[in-house]
PDB file of all heavy atoms in Angstrom:
ATOM      1  N   PRO P  40      -3.830   5.156 -20.621  1.00 97.00           N
ATOM      2  CA  PRO P  40      -3.855   6.329 -21.504  1.00 97.00           C
ATOM      3  C   PRO P  40      -2.906   7.453 -21.081  1.00 97.00           C
ATOM      4  O   PRO P  40      -2.531   8.286 -21.903  1.00 97.00           O
ATOM      5  CB  PRO P  40      -5.309   6.812 -21.420  1.00 97.00           C
ATOM      6  CG  PRO P  40      -6.088   5.631 -20.965  1.00 97.00           C
ATOM      7  CD  PRO P  40      -5.156   4.853 -20.088  1.00 97.00           C
ATOM      8  N   LEU P  41      -2.504   7.471 -19.820  1.00 97.00           N
ATOM      9  CA  LEU P  41      -1.597   8.512 -19.333  1.00 97.00           C
ATOM     10  C   LEU P  41      -0.136   8.236 -19.676  1.00 97.00           C
ATOM     11  O   LEU P  41       0.719   9.095 -19.487  1.00 97.00           O
ATOM     12  CB  LEU P  41      -1.741   8.671 -17.820  1.00 97.00           C
ATOM     13  CG  LEU P  41      -3.120   9.069 -17.318  1.00 97.00           C
ATOM     14  CD1 LEU P  41      -3.154   9.054 -15.802  1.00 97.00           C
ATOM     15  CD2 LEU P  41      -3.516  10.427 -17.861  1.00 97.00           C
ATOM     16  N   PHE P  42       0.141   7.048 -20.187  1.00 97.00           N
ATOM     17  CA  PHE P  42       1.518   6.659 -20.474  1.00 97.00           C
ATOM     18  C   PHE P  42       1.663   6.127 -21.901  1.00 97.00           C
ATOM     19  O   PHE P  42       2.067   4.986 -22.117  1.00 97.00           O
ATOM     20  CB  PHE P  42       1.989   5.639 -19.436  1.00 97.00           C
ATOM     21  CG  PHE P  42       1.988   6.205 -18.052  1.00 97.00           C
ATOM     22  CD1 PHE P  42       0.944   5.939 -17.177  1.00 97.00           C
ATOM     23  CD2 PHE P  42       2.998   7.062 -17.647  1.00 97.00           C
ATOM     24  CE1 PHE P  42       0.921   6.502 -15.918  1.00 97.00           C
ATOM     25  CE2 PHE P  42       2.981   7.625 -16.390  1.00 97.00           C
ATOM     26  CZ  PHE P  42       1.941   7.345 -15.522  1.00 97.00           C
ATOM     27  N   PRO P  43       1.368   6.989 -22.901  1.00 97.00           N
ATOM     28  CA  PRO P  43       1.492   6.551 -24.298  1.00 97.00           C
ATOM     29  C   PRO P  43       2.937   6.291 -24.711  1.00 97.00           C
ATOM     30  O   PRO P  43       3.186   5.645 -25.733  1.00 97.00           O
ATOM     31  CB  PRO P  43       0.903   7.723 -25.082  1.00 97.00           C
ATOM     32  CG  PRO P  43       1.128   8.914 -24.215  1.00 97.00           C
ATOM     33  CD  PRO P  43       0.971   8.393 -22.799  1.00 97.00           C
ATOM     34  N   GLY P  77       6.617  16.571 -13.248  1.00 91.00           N
ATOM     35  CA  GLY P  77       6.465  16.211 -14.660  1.00 91.00           C
ATOM     36  C   GLY P  77       5.523  15.038 -14.844  1.00 91.00           C
ATOM     37  O   GLY P  77       4.747  14.988 -15.792  1.00 91.00           O
ATOM     38  N   LEU P  78       5.583  14.103 -13.921  1.00 94.00           N
ATOM     39  CA  LEU P  78       4.687  12.951 -13.950  1.00 94.00           C
ATOM     40  C   LEU P  78       3.254  13.390 -13.656  1.00 94.00           C
ATOM     41  O   LEU P  78       2.314  12.962 -14.320  1.00 94.00           O
ATOM     42  CB  LEU P  78       5.165  11.948 -12.902  1.00 94.00           C
ATOM     43  CG  LEU P  78       4.869  10.482 -13.106  1.00 94.00           C
ATOM     44  CD1 LEU P  78       5.364   9.972 -14.441  1.00 94.00           C
ATOM     45  CD2 LEU P  78       5.464   9.680 -11.975  1.00 94.00           C
ATOM     46  N   GLN P  79       3.087  14.271 -12.700  1.00 94.00           N
ATOM     47  CA  GLN P  79       1.753  14.764 -12.342  1.00 94.00           C
ATOM     48  C   GLN P  79       1.106  15.542 -13.481  1.00 94.00           C
ATOM     49  O   GLN P  79      -0.118  15.548 -13.603  1.00 94.00           O
ATOM     50  CB  GLN P  79       1.825  15.671 -11.119  1.00 94.00           C
ATOM     51  CG  GLN P  79       1.800  14.926  -9.822  1.00 94.00           C
ATOM     52  CD  GLN P  79       1.670  15.878  -8.664  1.00 94.00           C
ATOM     53  OE1 GLN P  79       2.374  16.879  -8.587  1.00 94.00           O
ATOM     54  NE2 GLN P  79       0.758  15.568  -7.760  1.00 94.00           N
ATOM     55  N   ALA P  80       1.906  16.187 -14.319  1.00 95.00           N
ATOM     56  CA  ALA P  80       1.358  16.966 -15.430  1.00 95.00           C
ATOM     57  C   ALA P  80       0.541  16.097 -16.376  1.00 95.00           C
ATOM     58  O   ALA P  80      -0.347  16.591 -17.072  1.00 95.00           O
ATOM     59  CB  ALA P  80       2.489  17.661 -16.188  1.00 95.00           C
ATOM     60  N   ARG P  81       0.778  14.819 -16.378  1.00 93.00           N
ATOM     61  CA  ARG P  81       0.021  13.907 -17.224  1.00 93.00           C
ATOM     62  C   ARG P  81      -1.439  13.824 -16.801  1.00 93.00           C
ATOM     63  O   ARG P  81      -2.313  13.556 -17.622  1.00 93.00           O
ATOM     64  CB  ARG P  81       0.634  12.504 -17.180  1.00 93.00           C
ATOM     65  CG  ARG P  81       1.992  12.444 -17.826  1.00 93.00           C
ATOM     66  CD  ARG P  81       2.670  11.131 -17.474  1.00 93.00           C
ATOM     67  NE  ARG P  81       4.000  11.067 -18.016  1.00 93.00           N
ATOM     68  CZ  ARG P  81       4.344  10.332 -19.067  1.00 93.00           C
ATOM     69  NH1 ARG P  81       3.462   9.591 -19.679  1.00 93.00           N
ATOM     70  NH2 ARG P  81       5.580  10.339 -19.502  1.00 93.00           N
ATOM     71  N   MET P  82      -1.701  14.012 -15.530  1.00 91.00           N
ATOM     72  CA  MET P  82      -3.061  13.853 -15.012  1.00 91.00           C
ATOM     73  C   MET P  82      -4.035  14.884 -15.575  1.00 91.00           C
ATOM     74  O   MET P  82      -5.221  14.623 -15.686  1.00 91.00           O
ATOM     75  CB  MET P  82      -3.074  13.947 -13.479  1.00 91.00           C
ATOM     76  CG  MET P  82      -2.286  12.865 -12.803  1.00 91.00           C
ATOM     77  SD  MET P  82      -2.890  11.239 -13.284  1.00 91.00           S
ATOM     78  CE  MET P  82      -1.431  10.275 -13.119  1.00 91.00           C
ATOM     79  N   THR P  83      -3.530  16.035 -15.938  1.00 93.00           N
ATOM     80  CA  THR P  83      -4.392  17.101 -16.450  1.00 93.00           C
ATOM     81  C   THR P  83      -4.088  17.440 -17.909  1.00 93.00           C
ATOM     82  O   THR P  83      -4.611  18.418 -18.431  1.00 93.00           O
ATOM     83  CB  THR P  83      -4.240  18.366 -15.594  1.00 93.00           C
ATOM     84  OG1 THR P  83      -2.866  18.760 -15.583  1.00 93.00           O
ATOM     85  CG2 THR P  83      -4.714  18.129 -14.165  1.00 93.00           C
ATOM     86  N   ALA P  84      -3.270  16.634 -18.564  1.00 95.00           N
ATOM     87  CA  ALA P  84      -2.833  16.946 -19.925  1.00 95.00           C
ATOM     88  C   ALA P  84      -3.942  16.797 -20.966  1.00 95.00           C
ATOM     89  O   ALA P  84      -3.921  17.491 -21.981  1.00 95.00           O
ATOM     90  CB  ALA P  84      -1.645  16.076 -20.310  1.00 95.00           C
ATOM     91  N   GLY P  85      -4.876  15.905 -20.723  1.00 95.00           N
ATOM     92  CA  GLY P  85      -5.948  15.699 -21.697  1.00 95.00           C
ATOM     93  C   GLY P  85      -5.402  15.347 -23.066  1.00 95.00           C
ATOM     94  O   GLY P  85      -4.598  14.439 -23.220  1.00 95.00           O
ATOM     95  N   ARG P  86      -5.821  16.096 -24.089  1.00 96.00           N
ATOM     96  CA  ARG P  86      -5.393  15.833 -25.470  1.00 96.00           C
ATOM     97  C   ARG P  86      -3.913  16.115 -25.695  1.00 96.00           C
ATOM     98  O   ARG P  86      -3.348  15.703 -26.704  1.00 96.00           O
ATOM     99  CB  ARG P  86      -6.198  16.685 -26.440  1.00 96.00           C
ATOM    100  CG  ARG P  86      -7.631  16.281 -26.515  1.00 96.00           C
ATOM    101  CD  ARG P  86      -8.320  17.094 -27.568  1.00 96.00           C
ATOM    102  NE  ARG P  86      -9.755  16.975 -27.386  1.00 96.00           N
ATOM    103  CZ  ARG P  86     -10.625  17.644 -28.068  1.00 96.00           C
ATOM    104  NH1 ARG P  86     -10.226  18.510 -28.983  1.00 96.00           N
ATOM    105  NH2 ARG P  86     -11.907  17.493 -27.850  1.00 96.00           N
ATOM    106  N   ARG P  87      -3.284  16.829 -24.786  1.00 97.00           N
ATOM    107  CA  ARG P  87      -1.855  17.149 -24.914  1.00 97.00           C
ATOM    108  C   ARG P  87      -0.960  16.064 -24.326  1.00 97.00           C
ATOM    109  O   ARG P  87       0.244  16.231 -24.200  1.00 97.00           O
ATOM    110  CB  ARG P  87      -1.552  18.473 -24.205  1.00 97.00           C
ATOM    111  CG  ARG P  87      -2.279  19.673 -24.748  1.00 97.00           C
ATOM    112  CD  ARG P  87      -1.997  20.951 -23.956  1.00 97.00           C
ATOM    113  NE  ARG P  87      -2.241  20.812 -22.511  1.00 97.00           N
ATOM    114  CZ  ARG P  87      -1.302  20.683 -21.567  1.00 97.00           C
ATOM    115  NH1 ARG P  87      -0.037  20.694 -21.874  1.00 97.00           N
ATOM    116  NH2 ARG P  87      -1.631  20.559 -20.297  1.00 97.00           N
ATOM    117  N   ILE P  88      -1.524  14.911 -23.975  1.00 97.00           N
ATOM    118  CA  ILE P  88      -0.774  13.884 -23.251  1.00 97.00           C
ATOM    119  C   ILE P  88       0.480  13.440 -24.002  1.00 97.00           C
ATOM    120  O   ILE P  88       1.533  13.253 -23.398  1.00 97.00           O
ATOM    121  CB  ILE P  88      -1.661  12.663 -22.894  1.00 97.00           C
ATOM    122  CG1 ILE P  88      -0.905  11.708 -21.964  1.00 97.00           C
ATOM    123  CG2 ILE P  88      -2.159  11.955 -24.129  1.00 97.00           C
ATOM    124  CD1 ILE P  88      -0.533  12.259 -20.635  1.00 97.00           C
ATOM    125  N   ARG P  89       0.433  13.316 -25.314  1.00 96.00           N
ATOM    126  CA  ARG P  89       1.624  12.884 -26.060  1.00 96.00           C
ATOM    127  C   ARG P  89       2.733  13.928 -25.996  1.00 96.00           C
ATOM    128  O   ARG P  89       3.905  13.588 -25.892  1.00 96.00           O
ATOM    129  CB  ARG P  89       1.262  12.548 -27.496  1.00 96.00           C
ATOM    130  CG  ARG P  89       0.411  11.303 -27.580  1.00 96.00           C
ATOM    131  CD  ARG P  89       0.326  10.750 -28.988  1.00 96.00           C
ATOM    132  NE  ARG P  89      -0.490   9.558 -29.010  1.00 96.00           N
ATOM    133  CZ  ARG P  89      -0.071   8.344 -28.672  1.00 96.00           C
ATOM    134  NH1 ARG P  89       1.160   8.162 -28.277  1.00 96.00           N
ATOM    135  NH2 ARG P  89      -0.889   7.317 -28.728  1.00 96.00           N
ATOM    136  N   THR P  90       2.364  15.200 -26.025  1.00 96.00           N
ATOM    137  CA  THR P  90       3.351  16.279 -25.918  1.00 96.00           C
ATOM    138  C   THR P  90       3.982  16.285 -24.538  1.00 96.00           C
ATOM    139  O   THR P  90       5.205  16.383 -24.390  1.00 96.00           O
ATOM    140  CB  THR P  90       2.687  17.643 -26.200  1.00 96.00           C
ATOM    141  OG1 THR P  90       2.093  17.591 -27.490  1.00 96.00           O
ATOM    142  CG2 THR P  90       3.699  18.772 -26.135  1.00 96.00           C
ATOM    143  N   VAL P  91       3.159  16.173 -23.518  1.00 95.00           N
ATOM    144  CA  VAL P  91       3.650  16.144 -22.135  1.00 95.00           C
ATOM    145  C   VAL P  91       4.546  14.927 -21.923  1.00 95.00           C
ATOM    146  O   VAL P  91       5.627  15.029 -21.334  1.00 95.00           O
ATOM    147  CB  VAL P  91       2.466  16.155 -21.139  1.00 95.00           C
ATOM    148  CG1 VAL P  91       2.932  15.898 -19.723  1.00 95.00           C
ATOM    149  CG2 VAL P  91       1.709  17.471 -21.233  1.00 95.00           C
ATOM    150  N   ALA P  92       4.129  13.772 -22.430  1.00 95.00           N
ATOM    151  CA  ALA P  92       4.909  12.543 -22.276  1.00 95.00           C
ATOM    152  C   ALA P  92       6.243  12.629 -23.015  1.00 95.00           C
ATOM    153  O   ALA P  92       7.249  12.103 -22.538  1.00 95.00           O
ATOM    154  CB  ALA P  92       4.102  11.355 -22.776  1.00 95.00           C
ATOM    155  N   ALA P  93       6.267  13.304 -24.148  1.00 94.00           N
ATOM    156  CA  ALA P  93       7.507  13.431 -24.919  1.00 94.00           C
ATOM    157  C   ALA P  93       8.533  14.287 -24.185  1.00 94.00           C
ATOM    158  O   ALA P  93       9.744  14.057 -24.296  1.00 94.00           O
ATOM    159  CB  ALA P  93       7.213  14.026 -26.298  1.00 94.00           C
ATOM    160  N   ARG P  94       8.058  15.263 -23.406  1.00 91.00           N
ATOM    161  CA  ARG P  94       8.979  16.131 -22.659  1.00 91.00           C
ATOM    162  C   ARG P  94       9.659  15.397 -21.514  1.00 91.00           C
ATOM    163  O   ARG P  94      10.800  15.679 -21.179  1.00 91.00           O
ATOM    164  CB  ARG P  94       8.227  17.338 -22.106  1.00 91.00           C
ATOM    165  CG  ARG P  94       8.226  18.489 -23.082  1.00 91.00           C
ATOM    166  CD  ARG P  94       7.681  19.741 -22.440  1.00 91.00           C
ATOM    167  NE  ARG P  94       6.312  19.882 -22.914  1.00 91.00           N
ATOM    168  CZ  ARG P  94       5.266  20.183 -22.170  1.00 91.00           C
ATOM    169  NH1 ARG P  94       5.400  20.416 -20.895  1.00 91.00           N
ATOM    170  NH2 ARG P  94       4.078  20.281 -22.689  1.00 91.00           N
TER     171      ARG P  94
END
Side-chain angles (χ1 to χ4, degrees):
L41 300 174
F42 298 100
L78 207 55
Q79 275 188 313
R81 292 167 183 255
M82 297 303 152
T83 57
R86 292 185 196 174
R87 299 177 307 104
I88 188 63
R89 291 194 180 279
T90 303
V91 171
R94 270 189 258 135

